[in-house]
Amino acid sequence: MAASITQTNLETFREAIMDDDVTVLCGAGISSIPPTSLPLGDHLRDLCVATLLSDAANESLIQQILHSPSYQALLPEVVLQFIGSLLSRELDAFMSKVLRSRPPNAAHQAIAANFKHIYTTNFDLCLQEAGATRVNHLHGSIASRHSLQNRIFRLGKTAQKANASFLKTLPQRPLVVLGYSLRDEDVISALIQNPPLSIYYLSFDGSMPAAARRI
C-alpha cells in the first residue's frame, strides 16, 4: 500500500506527530533558523563555488556562472560532488568550517527532546548538541569527513548503516518531514520502496514538494 501525504492544519499536525511513535526526517531548513543560521543547500553550493573556485582573475566569470539560470537549476549535491572530485581536502575543510560551531536552535532542541527515531540529510551536528542521543546522518556528517556524500564516487555508497536503518524503520510508523525539500533521489526511492504508514510534511507556505506525486 502506498503512503499518503496528509494535508491538514497545524494543530492537527501537532497532535498527530506528538501522539504517535514517529520517524522524523530533517533537512537543511531546521538549521537555517537563528541562532544557527546555516546556509540552505543552494546557498551552501554557491558559497563553496565562490570560495574554492574563484580568484582575482576569474571572480567576474564565476559570478556570471552563479547567476545563470542553467547553473541555478543544478542541485547542490551535483555541484558539491563535482567540486569534491577536484578539491576533496579543500571542500571537506571548508564545509567543516562553515557548519561547525553553530549553536542549536529551538527546532533542534524540540526534535531532540521529543523524538527517538531521527534521520537527517544534514552534515551539521546541531541535533547532537541539542541533546539528541542518536541521530542518523543519511549523507554523512562533519564528525567524520570521510562519510560526507560530496564525491561522485561516493554517491549512494555513504552512510550505508544509516540508510539500512532508515529503510527498515520507514514501514513501521508514520514519517514526519521537517525543513526538507524532499528532492534527493536516494531518499525518494527509499520512500517509494518502503512506504511509511503515512507522511506528514511541514510546509511553510502550504505547497507540496514535486516528489509528493511519485511517493
Side-chain angles (χ1 to χ4, degrees), residues 42-197:
D42 290 346
H43 184 197
L44 180 61
R45 170 199 64 193
D46 297 348
L47 196 60
C48 289
V49 169
T51 303
L52 298 176
L53 300 185
S54 66
D55 54 29
N58 66 7
E59 183 176 355
S60 176
L61 175 61
I62 291 295
Q63 288 302 316
Q64 289 181 45
I65 293 173
L66 289 175
H67 292 91
S68 68
S70 57
Y71 169 82
Q72 288 296 325
L74 293 173
L75 290 179
E77 295 77 18
V78 174
V79 178
L80 293 178
Q81 287 159 14
F82 174 72
I83 298 175
S85 68
L86 300 173
L87 303 165
S88 57
R89 287 187 178 181
E90 290 83 355
L91 179 61
D92 285 351
F94 180 74
M95 291 183 66
S96 294
K97 180 180 178 181
V98 171
L99 301 178
R100 194 178 293 276
S101 301
R102 296 292 185 99
N105 58 43
H108 296 124
Q109 292 165 356
I111 293 167
N114 292 289
F115 302 108
K116 298 181 295 183
H117 311 286
I118 303 173
Y119 293 83
T120 182
T121 57
N122 296 349
F123 297 146
D124 67 69
L125 305 176
C126 291
L127 285 164
Q128 289 92 326
E129 293 174 4
T133 56
R134 183 175 179 183
V135 181
N136 299 278
H137 289 267
L138 293 174
H139 293 165
S141 79
I142 57 173
S144 177
R145 291 186 184 181
H146 74 274
S147 73
L148 295 175
Q149 188 170 312
N150 58 10
R151 308 281 194 281
I152 293 174
F153 64 84
R154 291 181 185 167
L155 183 60
K157 297 181 180 179
T158 60
Q160 292 181 353
K161 185 176 180 181
N163 189 56
S165 172
F166 187 54
L167 290 172
K168 182 179 179 180
T169 300
L170 281 175
Q172 300 179 18
R173 51 183 61 86
L175 176 70
V176 177
V177 184
L178 303 169
Y180 179 46
S181 61
L182 202 57
R183 63 184 186 183
D184 293 303
E185 194 58 37
D186 59 335
V187 175
I188 295 171
S189 297
L191 295 178
I192 293 173
Q193 295 169 16
N194 293 42
L197 298 180

